[in-house]
Structure formats: C-alpha cells, structure tokens
Amino acid sequence: MLQNLIDIREQFPLQYEKGMHELFPYNVRYGGTFPGTRQIASDLGIKHPRLNGNGRSAAWVMTTDLLLTLSRPDGGYYLLAIAHKPINSQEKKRTKQLLDIESAYWKARGVEWLLITPNEYLPEVAFTLRNSIPWALGLAANNEHIVTVAENIQHFHGRSLTSCLCAFAEVFGSMDLAQRAFWQCVWSGKVLLDLTRGWRPHLPITLISAEEFWKFNPIASRRTSWN
C-alpha cells in the first residue's frame, strides 16, 4: 500500500561476511564495506546460528522477512527492513539475540528496521485487506475508472458498499471492474475508507481523514515492537 514502493524482497539473505551495501544494485554507491552477521554477532557477544547435520556444521544464513526499496522525491532510493514475529517473541532469549543481530546489521547500513507483531495492527483491518486482495491486486483498473471512483466516493459516505458498487458497475458496465476500481482506490489511499468496517457488502462506507487512514498501516506509520 506504500505509493513509493519500487520492490519487495522476501526472506532477504543477510551477508555473513562484510560486503557492499544492499542498495548497490540500484547504482547507489556507499564508500567501503559493511559488517556481516558474523562480525556483528561477535561484537554483540552472541553465538551466530549454525546449521548442523550429517556430521557437518556451517553458518546459518540469516534473513530479514521483507526488504522494501522505496523511492525518494528527488529520484533516489532508500531501504526499509521489516521483521514479522508473533506477539511476545522478544521474551524468548534466543529469539531476542537473533533480532539483536538483525537490528544491528541494518543499523550499521543506515537502514530503518521495524519489528512488526500483531500488536501493531488491528485484526479487523487485516481481515478487510485480506478479503479485498482479489480486487486490490487483480488486473489494474484504468486511470479513468480510478478517477471516477475517487471523485464521486463522497456521495456514498454512510451508504452500503453494495449500493456504491452497483452504481459504479452501472457506469462501467461491469461489477468486476467496479470492485477492482473501488478497492484499488482504497489500497492506494485515494479512497480513505475506515478499514475496521469489515468487508461485507451490506455494511456502510465510512470515510475518514488521511491521517486516520494511514495510521492503520504499521509500516506506513513506522510502528515497531522493538525496544
């Protein structure tokens, strides 16, 4: 849902030995090299994770759950690293140690790192977004349909989603297109929907401020469980 998102890399491997900055593939040049997880673990006095089996042992390659590449207004790029863990994961000593390594790894590179747990978002919001994924991430509606929804949505404040979609479907000639245009407007922040409303069509549409809307998103608002 971040409008300046360029790329998402899942389970991104962290460098074990020192190496170049992760923005190097985007032609962003940083001087020198940056410490790998081996050095960071040693500096923190933490045992680096290892993989053992069949009488052999090797260093375990640590990963970050999500590494986002985002664009700057001046045309440059920056990174945002995100770990997702269950509630109270930091209470487990070994998990906390591994998160310490991961946090220090990105700090050494000047990259903001967030620890997201279910405490950082409302389950109702997650449920609404999960159920709208087929339309939000489906075939993109064209700009004309997006603009039509965004410019006319105020007329449907307090009315059911069903009546809203039926009205746009009549204009567009397709309920599927109406669904895609509506939810793509929501996901892009062009329709500031109260995401706690649930996804069922008979429920009313409630529009809120941009500040309230983006607070639903822990990544956009940079919330973290890390302390």
Side-chain angles (χ1 to χ4, degrees):
M1 296 176 70
L2 305 179
Q3 299 312 295
N4 61 336
L5 180 66
I6 301 299
D7 189 25
I8 302 176
R9 288 176 278 183
E10 300 181 29
Q11 294 302 315
F12 185 84
L14 308 185
Q15 299 177 68
Y16 179 65
E17 300 290 356
K18 65 181 181 180
M20 302 299 294
H21 197 280
E22 279 72 9
L23 275 175
F24 187 81
Y26 292 89
N27 294 318
V28 178
R29 299 292 183 257
Y30 286 85
T33 57
F34 297 82
T37 57
R38 182 184 66 81
Q39 178 183 330
I40 289 172
S42 177
D43 291 343
L44 294 174
I46 297 172
K47 184 178 180 180
H48 195 286
R50 298 190 65 82
L51 180 65
N52 301 296
N54 298 323
R56 294 180 295 175
S57 178
W60 178 267
V61 176
M62 298 181 63
T63 62
T64 284
D65 293 320
L66 294 172
L67 183 62
L68 311 185
T69 304
L70 303 162
S71 62
R72 299 186 185 278
D74 62 4
Y77 301 102
Y78 67 102
L79 299 175
L80 178 62
I82 301 165
H84 182 269
K85 293 291 184 285
I87 296 174
N88 300 326
S89 58
Q90 296 184 67
E91 294 180 2
K92 298 179 180 179
K93 181 180 178 180
R94 185 54 175 164
T95 300
K96 174 67 165 56
Q97 289 178 338
L98 297 180
L99 290 172
D100 279 331
I101 297 173
E102 185 178 346
S103 173
Y105 180 94
W106 291 114
K107 183 177 181 179
R109 287 156 169 75
V111 173
E112 186 174 10
W113 177 80
L114 305 177
L115 174 61
I116 303 296
T117 74
N119 283 330
E120 276 63 65
Y121 55 86
L122 298 172
E124 301 90 340
V125 172
F127 188 73
T128 297
L129 295 176
R130 185 168 64 245
N131 281 281
S132 63
I133 280 177
W135 302 294
L137 301 184
L139 183 66
N142 65 42
N143 188 61
E144 178 184 353
H145 296 131
I146 294 292
V147 170
T148 298
V149 171
E151 290 184 347
N152 292 279
I153 195 61
Q154 289 289 344
H155 301 305
F156 298 95
H157 178 71
R159 296 170 59 181
S160 71
L161 178 57
T162 297
S163 64
C164 171
L165 293 175
C166 286
F168 286 124
E170 185 174 349
V171 175
F172 300 156
S174 165
M175 176 57 77
D176 176 66
L177 180 53
Q179 291 268 28
R180 286 188 283 118
F182 175 82
W183 286 110
Q184 287 168 26
C185 276
V186 172
W187 277 53
S188 63
K190 296 180 178 67
V191 167
L192 302 172
L193 180 70
D194 181 354
L195 296 174
T196 64
R197 69 175 290 282
W199 67 278
R200 297 185 183 281
H202 72 278
L203 297 174
I205 289 174
T206 302
L207 301 177
I208 57 179
S209 69
E211 182 181 5
E212 291 174 298
F213 178 82
W214 289 111
K215 278 184 179 179
F216 287 137
N217 188 324
I219 296 173
S221 55
R222 301 298 196 266
R223 288 196 295 279
T224 181
S225 281
W226 190 245
N227 48 45

